[in-house]
Amino acid sequence: MSLNAGDKVIFKIFRYDPAKDKAPYFKDYEVTIEKKGMMVLDALNQIKWHIDGSLSFRRSCREGVCGSDGMNINGMNTTSCMAHVDDYNSNVLIIKPLPGLPVIKDLVCDFVDFFDKYYAVKPYLIEKTPPPGTERLQSIEDRAKLDGLYECILCGCCSSSCPSYWADRDYLGPSALLNATRFVLDTRDEGSDERLDTVNNIHGVWRCHTILNCIHACPKELNPTKAIASLQKEILKRTY
Ligand code: FES
């Protein structure tokens, strides 16, 4: 369904303020399409700035870089600045917070546990040998191994789409594991044995059941399932 400037779209938005609401509810807002290809984020801003200032959601860069505006739009997780209103082939959009994460208010979720899991995999280069006196250089081929990994913007869309993540609160989840892979496969890193120890358990790489939701949810088109398989392969390579 093609939407043009002037068309009307109904946004049914999850609302919940624990300070005053007994239970969550959905509220409808009518938004006028400003131009063809309008971003969902622009529609949310239109609601917040011109219709209902009490609506809460995170956003910052509006360019798919900061990862702050992850949410569920018509059943799919994505960042609202990378979604266009007419991607959904409907004049009704249902907007919910990311599933499986505690809601602070409206579309704002609590990311403390998500980031604790990210920091648990030590998402930085670890040095054990003295610096060579120059940069730690990397061949073009070795650098290319990080493509499809370093682009993660930590929006949480993958982990919060994963039933294993919902079911096992200790599961590191697709996002933390993809970021672990980014450093394990980096030829300059010297801390991958300890990083692999952290992920080699039932709450790490072996919890993934290849459900594949994470792949469909990633707005950057990354493949956390493939990254997890790379970690499993590295563990088996170093064990046997
Ligand atoms: Fe930064 Fe969407 S606002 S990724």
Side-chain angles (χ1 to χ4, degrees):
M1 161 178 204
S2 178
L3 293 166
N4 296 301
D7 288 347
K8 309 274 187 204
V9 174
I10 301 295
F11 280 69
K12 288 182 175 293
I13 303 185
F14 176 101
R15 301 298 312 267
Y16 181 52
D17 180 351
K20 63 181 181 60
D21 297 327
K22 286 201 175 83
Y25 61 99
F26 282 87
K27 190 164 176 183
D28 290 2
Y29 301 93
E30 188 180 77
V31 173
T32 304
I33 298 297
E34 287 167 345
K35 59 178 182 189
K36 202 167 169 47
M38 183 184 188
M39 282 191 281
V40 173
L41 177 59
D42 285 337
L44 292 173
N45 283 334
Q46 196 184 112
I47 293 167
K48 181 155 182 82
W49 295 337
H50 301 294
I51 303 175
D52 184 349
S54 71
L55 176 66
S56 295
F57 54 97
R58 290 193 183 104
R59 77 283 193 201
S60 179
C61 70
R62 77 181 293 281
E63 300 294 343
V65 176
C66 72
S68 61
D69 59 335
M71 58 187 70
N72 185 283
I73 306 173
N74 279 12
M76 285 296 295
N77 291 354
T78 189
T79 47
S80 66
C81 68
M82 295 173 77
H84 299 102
V85 178
D86 52 10
D87 288 346
Y88 296 90
N89 205 25
S90 170
N91 56 4
V92 179
L93 261 61
I94 301 172
I95 316 264
K96 296 186 277 190
L98 290 173
L101 298 180
V103 172
I104 295 174
K105 183 174 182 281
D106 300 337
L107 304 176
V108 176
C109 294
D110 185 340
F111 269 66
V112 170
D113 180 68
F114 174 87
F115 278 105
D116 282 348
K117 289 166 175 169
Y118 171 66
Y119 296 129
V121 304
K122 301 193 167 109
Y124 41 82
L125 290 176
I126 298 172
E127 290 185 343
K128 300 222 164 144
T129 55
T134 60
E135 295 170 77
R136 290 183 189 271
L137 297 174
Q138 196 169 43
S139 70
I140 290 172
E141 294 73 27
D142 285 341
R143 162 62 188 79
K145 289 176 191 160
L146 309 182
D147 288 343
L149 299 168
Y150 78 88
E151 301 94 329
C152 175
I153 55 172
L154 298 170
C155 61
C157 289
C158 61
S159 292
S160 67
S161 75
C162 173
S164 300
Y165 192 78
W166 305 333
D168 175 2
R169 298 312 302 173
D170 294 322
Y171 177 35
L172 289 168
S175 177
L177 293 171
L178 179 133
N179 280 283
T181 314
R182 181 254 172 271
F183 290 97
V184 167
L185 297 188
D186 193 315
T187 49
R188 299 164 298 176
D189 184 66
E190 298 171 329
S192 284
D193 285 342
E194 59 198 81
R195 200 174 286 111
L196 288 174
D197 279 349
T198 304
V199 305
N200 182 17
N201 58 64
I202 196 60
H203 303 301
V205 293
W206 308 111
R207 177 60 75 203
C208 173
H209 296 301
T210 57
I211 296 166
L212 310 181
N213 281 6
C214 55
I215 303 172
H216 300 297
C218 179
K220 303 293 281 189
E221 299 184 355
L222 308 183
N223 188 332
T225 306
K226 188 174 165 202
I228 293 168
S230 303
L231 283 180
Q232 293 170 337
K233 203 166 136 194
E234 282 298 316
I235 290 166
L236 295 173
K237 221 162 71 184
R238 294 178 196 215
T239 311
Y240 300 102

